[in-house]
Structure formats: structure tokens, C-alpha cells
């Protein structure tokens, strides 16, 4: 298999999660050193060991990282530069939120709304800021921010009817902000050898109720909810040289759901 990211150093925040582990596999299989940057170090180490055992030759590292902590993010960047001499890519995939996240609009408090916005958008800002500092010094670097179709289109509340699910107001605000944060960083770093793009997936299958899956699928081109691996091709495109003239863009992968 062609290794489009051969020997590159690529960080995936939230690399222990459902989408995160799929991204780590894809990055490692493309020839890169994949770095799981997750707040749960034990889970990161287990994930790295499992993924490397599944496919000998994969290079995967695990580093505890809290994207809401300046000290933690700075330590991550410093350790990578010390160990590898450079960092080639950052995938902002972590999903920090508090225990109250996910309530219906009427139940969301002002403090919780602000806290969740701060954790997620603030975390993506912080990692992007600190990695850009390193990218500027070395003259190159790529950032891919995980956004969402709900950062692009208004919620379709009808698909949640008959279930206990909702579309959190924080999520819509967060993902819309991530898309524009992407454009800001792309414009700010233009001409420095740095590219910043976002990837907006549709819904990803994760044990949702059948009523929701049926309603969601009816609005798609056929598949409906995606598997995490359905996003790998777009991620590798954005990280690799095939997209070297793609900057400040938001790529939607949703089986036509948002059309």
C-alpha cells in the first residue's frame, strides 16, 4: 500500500475514542508515526499496543494530553520536538465536555453552555496556537480540525422524535465556531507553509436507537450513519501532499445528508 504520510509525525488528539482510533490506524498505515494524544494515558497505551499488535510495522505512540491545559499542550509539543525533531500534522479530534453536556435546550444552564464551549473550542484554539508556533519555526505543518455537518446546517430535530436523544445546542455552536476558527488560522498563517482545514462528518454509528437510524437514513443517499473508517480517506487527503493547495476549507463527508 502506498504510504502517503511516510515517516511523518502526526498527532491525533482524542485518539482513544471511536473516531480517534480509526484515525490513528489510518495515519499509521499511511506510514506516519501516529501519536495518540489523549487525557487517559492508560487507555492510550492499551490502544497503541492493540493497534500495533493487529498490524506489525505500525508505529504508534501514546502521550497524555489535556487540550484544555496550556502546560499540557506545551509539554506535548516540546516532547515531540525533542524526540522527533519536528511535527508534521495535528488532527484536532478530542471531544472535551462536562457531565451536564447533552441536555435539551431548556435544561442547559448558562454556566454549562459556557463551560462546554470553552473546553471544546478553547481546546482547539490552544492546540492550534501551540502547534502553529512549532510549524512556523520548521516552515511546514498541517492541521485538520474535526467539525460537523451541524456546524454547517441547522439541526433537523424531527429525526430525534420518539427517542431520548437530542441535538445539543452547545454542539451546534461549537462546531460552527470550529469551522470559522479553521478559516482564521488558515488566513493568519498564509504563506508560512502551514495549511489548516476542517472535516465535517455526518452522523457516526454508535449504538443509536433504530428509530433514529431509520429517520436519519431517509435523508441520506442510502447508507445513512457512517462508520468511523468512512472518514479515513478524507483525513489522509487533508494531511497529505495531494491537498497541498487546499487551505481554509471545510470538507463535508455525510452521504449527501446535508444537501
Amino acid at each position: 500500500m502506498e504510504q502517503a504520510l511516510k515517516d511523518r509525525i502526526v498527532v491525533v488528539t482524542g485518539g482513544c475514542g471511536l473516531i480517534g482510533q480509526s484515525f490513528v490506524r489510518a495515519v499509521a498505515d499511511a506510514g506516519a508515526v501516529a501519536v495518540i494524544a489523549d487525557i487517559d494515558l492508560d487507555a492510550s497505551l492499551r490502544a497503541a499496543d492493540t493497534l500495533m499488535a493487529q498490524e506489525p510495522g505500525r508505529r504508534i505512540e501514546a502521550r497524555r494530553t489535556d487540550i484544555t491545559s496550556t502546560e499540557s499542550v506545551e509539554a506535548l509539543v516540546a516532547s515531540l520536538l525533542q524526540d522527533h525533531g519536528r511535527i508534521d500534522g495535528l488532527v484536532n479530534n478530542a471531544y472535551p465536555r462536562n457531565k451536564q453536556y447533552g441536555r435539551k435546550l431548556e435544561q442547559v444552564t448558562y454556566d454549562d453552555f459556557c463551560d462546554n464551549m470553552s473546553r471544546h473550542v478553547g481546546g482547539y484554539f490552544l492546540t492550534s496556537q501551540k502547534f502553529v508556533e512549532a510549524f512556523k519555526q520548521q516552515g511546514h505543518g498541517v492541521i485538520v480540525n474535526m467539525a460537523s455537518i451541524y456546524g454547517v446546517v441547522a439541526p433537523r430535530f424531527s429525526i430525534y422524535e420518539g427517542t431520548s436523544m437530542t441535538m445539543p445546542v452547545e454542539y451546534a455552536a461549537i462546531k460552527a465556531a470550529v469551522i470559522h476558527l479553521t478559516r482564521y488560522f488558515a488566513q493568519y498563517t498564509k504563506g508560512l507553509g502551514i495549511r489548516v482545514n476542517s472535516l465535517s462528518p455526518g452522523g457516526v454509528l454508535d449504538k443509536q436507537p433504530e428509530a433514529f437510524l431509520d429517520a436519519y437514513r431517509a435523508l441520506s443517499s442510502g447508507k445513512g450513519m457512517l462508520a468511523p473508517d468512512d472518514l479515513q480517506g478524507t483525513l489522509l487527503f487533508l494531511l497529505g501532499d495531494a491537498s497541498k493547495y487546499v487551505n481554509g476549507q471545510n470538507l463535508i463527508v455525510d452521504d449527501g445528508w446535508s444537501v
Side-chain angles (χ1 to χ4, degrees):
M1 183 177 69
E2 180 184 357
Q3 295 194 316
L5 303 179
K6 184 175 173 59
D7 294 332
R8 298 186 190 185
I9 312 301
V10 178
V11 177
V12 180
T13 69
C16 285
L18 181 67
I19 296 175
Q21 288 198 42
S22 175
F23 283 177
V24 169
R25 286 199 313 272
V27 166
D29 288 345
V33 176
V35 180
I36 300 175
D38 198 286
I39 198 167
D40 189 335
L41 180 58
D42 289 340
S44 299
L45 291 168
R46 289 195 300 271
D49 288 344
T50 298
L51 292 171
M52 287 190 290
Q54 290 172 351
E55 187 65 44
R58 284 176 176 164
R59 292 175 293 171
I60 302 173
E61 300 178 359
R63 312 214 178 191
R64 185 189 184 281
T65 307
D66 178 357
I67 70 165
T68 69
S69 163
T70 300
E71 181 180 52
S72 180
V73 175
E74 288 180 340
L76 171 65
V77 172
S79 68
L80 290 170
L81 291 176
Q82 179 177 348
D83 292 348
H84 298 287
R86 71 182 197 284
I87 310 167
D88 299 295
L90 165 67
V91 182
N92 266 321
N93 172 72
Y95 194 171
R97 55 201 184 275
N98 68 25
K99 293 181 180 179
Q100 286 71 48
Y101 176 86
R103 293 176 172 178
K104 292 188 176 182
L105 176 66
E106 295 82 359
Q107 300 169 329
V108 177
T109 68
Y110 173 79
D111 287 344
D112 283 333
F113 180 88
C114 293
D115 183 35
N116 283 309
M117 286 289 295
S118 176
R119 291 179 188 222
H120 200 139
V121 181
Y124 281 28
F125 157 76
L126 178 59
T127 52
S128 297
Q129 181 192 51
K130 298 305 178 183
F131 275 75
V132 160
E133 290 177 8
F135 291 164
K136 287 168 66 176
Q137 292 297 317
Q138 65 190 23
H140 75 275
V142 178
I143 297 175
V144 179
N145 291 320
M146 285 301 292
S148 168
I149 50 172
Y150 275 150
V152 179
V153 301
R156 289 174 170 168
F157 293 109
S158 62
I159 65 175
Y160 303 100
E161 292 176 2
T163 77
S164 61
M165 300 171 62
T166 189
M167 214 300 289
V169 62
E170 305 101 302
Y171 188 84
I174 286 165
K175 293 307 186 180
V178 166
I179 292 170
H180 208 69
L181 190 70
T182 297
R183 297 187 183 114
Y184 184 100
F185 271 87
Q187 181 76 333
Y188 194 82
T189 59
K190 191 180 290 185
L192 300 177
I194 299 169
R195 295 188 298 109
V196 188
N197 294 290
S198 58
L199 195 170
S200 284
V204 174
L205 191 63
D206 188 20
K207 302 176 183 177
Q208 293 90 346
E210 199 63 37
F212 169 79
L213 296 177
D214 290 342
Y216 186 98
R217 188 181 303 112
L219 297 171
S220 75
S221 297
K223 179 170 185 175
M225 298 288 281
L226 304 174
D229 289 3
D230 292 332
L231 307 175
Q232 290 181 346
T234 305
L235 176 74
L236 295 179
F237 169 71
L238 290 174
L239 287 171
D241 293 341
S243 62
K244 62 183 176 181
Y245 300 119
V246 179
N247 196 17
Q249 303 304 307
N250 177 55
L251 299 193
I252 298 174
V253 182
D254 70 349
D255 190 35
W257 192 87
S258 58
V259 175

